[in-house]
Amino acid sequence: MSTQANRVMALSEWDDRWQEGRTGFHKPQVHELLKNNLDKVVGGRKGIRFFFPLCGKAVDMKWLADMGHTVVGVEFAVKGIKQFFEEQNLTYSEELVPEIPGAKVFKSTDAKISIYQCDLYKFSSAIAGKFGGIWDRGALVAINPCDRQKYASLLISLMESDCKYLLDTLEYNPELYKGPPFLVTEGDVKDLFGVACDIELLQTVDGFEERHRSWGIDSLTEKLYFLTPKTQ
Ligand code: SAH
């Protein structure tokens, strides 16, 4: 385990980031790696139900919905959820989720996008079924390293048998920056998902951006994996 293993970020700290506008992780354009690999994740299917763990206000949700897919996201920060609908010019409703005390679901009026406002670990397939696609960007890399096993079990439990899961990870020197986002290695991906899923490394790209200099690093690699449930 790396030097980051014991770092814990509380949900309230994420809320603070949203309140203070410290959301440098947000991308105003559709993510290139999702765009490049859309055909692979869709695999000829129509009207896929996509899951976005820790969705933030990812514009990718609207992009997929506009193509006829439906999207379910989970995000703790109310501010992020409201900004998503407002910035995408989508009207939405807000309802309590009876199965999860304190949680709400925000739904676009056309019902194509639903975002559950709760701690991810309270979510399960009992709430919104299973999914045919998963876009994991800023999610596995953002959760506390001590929760990875729990996270992987949850994500695996949300996969339909034909699910295609795109997992975006970051690699950089963890001695230099404490995270989040945290380092996730190929070994980590295999350890977490290898028993349940076939794993293919699809793309390795230079993910370094100027904003990363403030983390004290000068290189960062982004890796995209394609996970599918092992056939029994
Ligand atoms: N995937 C988005 C956001 C990445 S940042 C993107 O790529 O832009 C990680 C997000 O996860 C933050 O918005 C944070 O508020 C949310 N988050 C962190 N831990 C969470 C948890 N346990 N449950 C739900 N949301 C969480």
Side-chain angles (χ1 to χ4, degrees):
M1 261 284 187
S2 76
T3 48
Q4 298 181 330
N6 299 318
R7 166 112 164 99
V8 173
M9 179 133 158
L11 285 172
S12 58
E13 291 176 73
W14 283 108
D15 247 343
D16 293 345
R17 285 201 179 195
W18 279 101
Q19 289 301 338
E20 293 158 19
R22 289 186 290 124
T23 51
F25 49 80
H26 176 70
K27 281 197 182 300
Q29 277 96 31
V30 176
H31 200 287
E32 280 301 314
L33 293 178
L34 175 60
K35 250 192 197 168
N36 292 345
N37 295 283
L38 183 72
D39 288 351
K40 180 112 181 162
V41 78
V42 168
R45 298 171 297 167
K46 291 214 162 42
I48 298 172
R49 296 186 71 236
F50 273 94
F51 182 59
F52 275 57
L54 277 56
C55 60
K57 54 173 179 173
V59 302
D60 311 342
M61 294 191 277
K62 171 81 165 38
W63 187 65
L64 290 172
D66 285 345
M67 271 178 237
H69 303 298
T70 53
V71 175
V72 173
V74 176
E75 167 58 53
F76 184 73
V78 180
K79 182 132 189 170
I81 299 176
K82 290 194 170 165
Q83 278 181 11
F84 170 75
F85 288 109
E86 282 154 20
E87 291 173 9
Q88 299 304 319
N89 292 314
L90 292 169
T91 52
Y92 64 95
S93 64
E94 209 176 309
E95 288 163 34
L96 293 175
V97 182
E99 301 91 335
I100 315 174
K104 279 187 178 171
V105 57
F106 293 72
K107 277 188 196 161
S108 62
T109 307
D110 65 5
K112 293 215 146 166
I113 304 175
S114 309
I115 304 181
Y116 286 79
Q117 187 270 313
C118 63
D119 182 356
L120 178 74
Y121 308 110
K122 303 245 163 79
F123 190 80
S124 71
S125 59
I127 314 289
K130 296 192 184 209
F131 298 90
I134 301 176
W135 175 225
D136 183 324
R137 187 267 174 180
L140 174 60
V141 296
I143 57 153
N144 295 320
C146 60
D147 291 329
R148 283 184 184 173
Q149 203 64 59
K150 194 164 65 167
Y151 177 91
S153 307
L154 171 64
L155 272 279
I156 291 165
S157 75
L158 294 174
M159 296 172 83
E160 288 277 15
S161 57
D162 68 345
C163 183
K164 299 182 193 309
Y165 177 172
L166 278 184
L167 168 63
D168 184 38
T169 64
L170 302 175
E171 294 187 11
Y172 63 88
N173 181 350
E175 305 288 334
L176 301 176
Y177 180 60
K178 64 182 175 21
F182 301 100
L183 161 72
V184 174
T185 64
E186 290 193 41
D188 295 333
V189 175
K190 286 200 183 107
D191 289 348
L192 291 167
F193 295 101
V195 172
C197 300
D198 290 321
I199 302 168
E200 187 186 340
L201 175 61
L202 284 187
Q203 257 189 289
T204 301
V205 298
D206 176 4
F208 187 78
E209 296 168 19
E210 274 312 307
R211 69 184 175 101
H212 296 135
R213 283 200 202 282
S214 66
W215 302 358
I217 61 172
D218 57 13
S219 69
L220 178 141
T221 303
E222 202 167 348
K223 287 190 178 166
L224 186 75
Y225 299 88
F226 184 71
L227 278 60
T228 47
K230 280 197 166 138
T231 40
Q232 270 101 37

